[in-house]
Amino acid sequence: MRYFQCDTLKQEDRKMVYQDVELTDEEKKRDRQGKFLNFLGTLLFFVVFVAVFIGSLFLIVRIPTSNNPFLFILVVVAMFILGIDALLVSVLIGSFISSPIYKMAQEKLVIQKRNCFDKSIIFLREYYGWTEPCIVTKCYDSSDEKFKNRDVCIFLVDDELRITADLRHGFSIRENDLGCYSFKIDEFSLEQIQGEKFLITKVMSEDLVFDLGRRAKGFIEKRYISPKNDT
């Protein structure tokens, strides 16, 4: 087992950057459906709006006028007010009829997911050799206090298993780089125990212990231990 930590980061590198996260196939499908429903709702709104407004104007202009100048002015003013009312009513009716489609569209639409993290993550990924596949899980407890109650990333580099901070999603400048523990296959043991509320994966090496989420055991066995045993 070995532990190493990056000590070459500069303060100016520690600023927030943003990275778009690729949508899953299911999210892309829902997003396409949402955009179509959004277009359909907009089209329906304008069709209803135009139909109601033009129909209202048609009825308004059919109001008879008078040869009396005073009455003529009153009728024209009344027609103008009715025209404004017709505009507002057309908007309300169009919105009311199209709102169920807009609501369905909003439920389907997927807002572009973004990660916000410390710019240093980009450098740390290279420094610690981060690669996919990896798993991000909670470290509930550890003999190394820095790791306690932090999200950690488990991944493989050649013949080593490595545990460090969450390099997949990144972490903010309020959190610290944890350094990286690296294990050969014969340098740690693995077991799963029942915690107070859920299963816990224990990774143990000499005096070092990690209490991780239950999925960690399956990932390590499938990606690291089983291939080693097959060879």
Side-chain angles (χ1 to χ4, degrees):
M1 178 194 73
R2 65 189 180 99
Y3 174 80
F4 57 106
Q5 188 171 23
C6 176
D7 58 359
T8 58
L9 287 178
K10 300 177 182 179
Q11 186 61 35
E12 56 264 29
D13 292 333
R14 303 218 65 187
K15 63 180 182 179
M16 300 309 294
V17 295
Y18 299 88
Q19 182 184 63
D20 289 338
V21 181
E22 185 177 357
L23 302 179
T24 64
D25 290 339
E26 179 61 27
E27 287 173 331
K28 290 178 181 177
K29 179 180 178 182
R30 287 175 56 84
D31 198 51
R32 288 193 298 269
Q33 293 173 343
K35 289 177 180 177
F36 173 75
L37 288 172
N38 201 44
F39 168 77
L40 194 62
T42 302
L43 180 63
L44 180 61
F45 169 81
F46 278 107
V47 169
V48 172
F49 167 76
V50 171
V52 174
F53 187 58
I54 291 178
S56 300
L57 290 181
F58 177 76
L59 295 176
I60 291 171
V61 297
R62 292 179 65 86
I63 296 175
T65 58
S66 173
N67 292 328
N68 185 301
F70 178 73
L71 293 177
F72 177 81
I73 293 175
L74 287 179
V75 171
V76 170
V77 171
M79 292 172 65
F80 178 75
I81 294 174
L82 288 173
I84 294 177
D85 291 339
L87 178 64
L88 296 176
V89 170
S90 300
V91 171
L92 291 175
I93 293 177
S95 299
F96 177 76
I97 293 178
S98 60
S99 61
I101 298 179
Y102 277 126
K103 184 177 180 180
M104 287 189 294
Q106 293 304 312
E107 292 174 354
K108 293 280 188 180
L109 283 171
V110 178
I111 299 175
Q112 180 63 48
K113 299 183 295 184
R114 309 192 80 192
N115 280 337
C116 172
F117 54 84
D118 191 329
K119 183 181 178 182
S120 62
I121 294 299
I122 300 171
F123 178 78
L124 292 175
R125 284 176 175 176
E126 297 178 357
Y127 190 88
Y128 293 132
W130 178 83
T131 184
E132 294 278 10
C134 74
I135 186 173
V136 176
T137 186
K138 191 77 172 181
C139 180
Y140 299 104
D141 198 5
S142 174
S143 51
D144 187 334
E145 289 292 326
K146 298 191 303 293
F147 284 77
K148 189 174 181 180
N149 293 320
R150 284 285 299 272
D151 287 338
V152 297
C153 189
I154 305 173
F155 56 97
L156 312 177
V157 178
D158 298 327
D159 61 343
E160 292 182 335
L161 178 75
R162 294 186 179 179
I163 301 178
T164 185
D166 182 2
L167 297 180
R168 173 187 279 174
H169 305 111
F171 51 86
S172 72
I173 57 177
R174 294 184 298 273
E175 298 175 299
N176 296 320
D177 170 29
L178 300 177
C180 181
Y181 282 98
S182 183
F183 307 91
K184 301 287 188 181
I185 193 170
D186 59 349
E187 293 179 332
F188 71 95
S189 60
L190 188 68
E191 68 173 328
Q192 199 162 64
I193 63 172
Q194 180 63 52
E196 294 182 3
K197 297 181 179 179
F198 32 69
L199 292 174
I200 292 175
T201 299
K202 275 190 172 291
V203 177
M204 297 166 287
S205 178
E206 300 175 355
D207 296 331
L208 181 67
V209 179
F210 291 103
D211 286 354
L212 308 174
R214 63 178 181 82
R215 295 187 303 126
K217 184 174 184 291
F219 176 83
I220 295 171
E221 288 178 337
K222 179 180 178 180
R223 298 289 181 176
Y224 187 55
I225 296 177
S226 294
K228 295 295 183 183
N229 292 335
D230 292 340
T231 58

